[in-house]
Amino acid sequence: MNLRPSHQPSPRLIKTSFGLEFAKIGASRYDLSDPYHLALTVRWPTFVLGVFAAYGLINLIFAGLYLAEPGCIANTRPGSIGDAFFFSVETLATVGYGVMAPANLYGHLVVSAEIITGMAFTAIMTGLVFVRFSKAKAKIVYADVAVITRHNGRPTLMFRIGNARASVMTQVRVEANALIKETTAEGGQYRRLQELNLARSSIPVFPMVLVLMHEIDEHSPLAGLDGKALVETDMTIILSLEARDPQLAAMVYDMKAYFARDLRPGMRFADAVTQRDGRTLADLRRISLVEPDEVDILA
C-alpha cells in the first residue's frame, strides 16, 4: 500500500540578508500567528503597504456597520458608502469635524467602538514604527571574496571587513564557521558546522579595516584541501560579528556568507589602508580588490 501523500508541498525558498539561500518545506514566509515578528522582518515597502491596507480595512468594516443602520449618522446621504467611509476615517482619527455625527444609540455605540479601535491602532503602529527605526545596524562592509595565501609560512584563509561608520566600534567579536558536507562510515551524508579558529577573534577597537585570518593547519577542518579542492567543494563559510557602537550605546550584529565560488586561492588583498599627509587613510572602495600573490600557497 502506498502511504505517501499524493500532493508533495513545494519547498519555500528563503533568502537571508547576509547572502545565504536555502529552501524549507513546512515553513511559511508570512507567519500570521506571530504578527509582531512579521511586522519587524518584512521590508519597509511591504510594512507601509500593510499599514495602509489594515487602516483601509478597518474603515471599510466600520463603514459597513454604519450602513447597516440607516439614519444612525446625521447629515449623511442615505446609502452613501463614501459618506460612511469618510465619517469612519474622521472617527478613527478622532478628528470630529462636526458635519456628520452619530444620531442614535446604535451610532454612538459604533462610534465609541471605532474610537477605541483607532486609539489602539495608533498606539500599535507607533510602537512598531519606533522599533523598526530604532533597530541598531552594524554597517559593516565585507569584501566580496575571501583569499587563500601564505602568512608566516602557513596557508591562510583571509577575510577583510571595513567599518563604514564614521565612529569607532569597540568590543568586536567575530566567529567563522564552515558548513561542510561529511560522509559517515555507513555512507550517509550530512552537513555540519565546524568552527574555523581565527588568529584573532576579539578586537578591542575597530576604526577602519580588519583582516581576519584562519590558518589552514592540521587542526583546521580545511586541512588536506588545497586551493583548487576548496573551490570545488560546496562549502559555505559564515562570518558572524558582534560589536558595540558607542554612538548608539548598543550592541550591533551582522553576518556574511561566503561560498566556494567566492574563494580566491593564490590571491591576496590589495592595500586599502595608506598614509596621506601624515594621516592613516582607509579607502573602503578597495575592500574587495585582490591581486596575484607572489608566493605559491602550496610551497
Side-chain angles (χ1 to χ4, degrees), residues 28-48 50-51 54 125 128 131-132 135:
S28 59
R29 182 177 181 182
Y30 301 111
D31 186 4
L32 299 180
S33 64
D34 190 358
Y36 180 74
H37 183 270
L38 177 63
L40 295 185
T41 54
V42 296
R43 297 178 180 273
W44 269 107
T46 305
F47 176 77
V48 173
V51 171
M125 289 302 108
L128 289 177
V131 172
R132 289 183 65 97
K135 284 195 300 183

Side-chain angles (χ1 to χ4, degrees), residues 182-190:
E182 295 186 356
T183 303
T184 65
E186 295 76 20
Q189 290 188 344
Y190 69 101

Side-chain angles (χ1 to χ4, degrees), residues 197-218:
N197 293 322
L198 299 175
R200 191 171 186 182
S201 60
S202 181
I203 301 96
V205 291
F206 179 20
M208 295 181 295
V209 176
L210 287 176
V211 176
L212 308 169
M213 295 180 285
H214 167 71
E215 184 178 302
I216 306 177
D217 56 13
E218 61 275 11

Side-chain angles (χ1 to χ4, degrees), residues 152-295:
N152 291 333
R154 290 279 193 170
T156 304
L157 176 64
M158 297 185 180
F159 312 92
R160 187 157 68 175
I161 63 176
N163 177 7
R165 295 285 189 193
S167 58
V168 176
M169 292 185 183
T170 62
Q171 303 176 25
V172 181
R173 181 173 178 81
V174 185
E175 291 185 358
N177 290 275
L179 186 61
I180 302 175
K181 182 183 292 185
E182 295 186 356
T183 303
T184 65
E186 295 76 20
Q189 290 188 344
Y190 69 101
R191 289 176 175 268
R192 183 161 69 97
L193 272 176
Q194 299 189 44
E195 184 177 0
L196 302 179
N197 293 322
L198 299 175
R200 191 171 186 182
S201 60
S202 181
I203 301 96
V205 291
F206 179 20
M208 295 181 295
V209 176
L210 287 176
V211 176
L212 308 169
M213 295 180 285
H214 167 71
E215 184 178 302
I216 306 177
D217 56 13
E218 61 275 11
H219 303 295
S220 171
L222 310 181
L225 298 175
D226 57 22
K228 182 178 180 181
L230 284 172
V231 175
E232 291 176 350
T233 65
D234 59 352
M235 173 182 59
T236 301
I237 300 175
I238 301 175
L239 290 182
S240 56
L241 177 147
E242 64 175 6
R244 181 173 181 80
D245 190 331
Q247 299 296 322
L248 300 177
M251 297 297 294
V252 293
Y253 306 89
D254 205 9
M255 301 180 74
K256 170 68 175 178
Y258 289 94
F259 305 96
R261 63 178 180 270
D262 300 323
L263 303 181
R264 297 292 185 270
M267 306 292 285
R268 66 183 181 186
F269 288 116
D271 290 338
V273 179
T274 58
Q275 293 290 328
R276 180 181 297 179
D277 299 329
R279 292 188 177 91
T280 303
L281 173 65
D283 189 350
L284 298 183
R285 298 171 300 177
R286 298 174 57 87
I287 198 79
S288 298
L289 290 183
V290 296
E291 58 189 14
D293 198 348
E294 300 175 357
V295 180

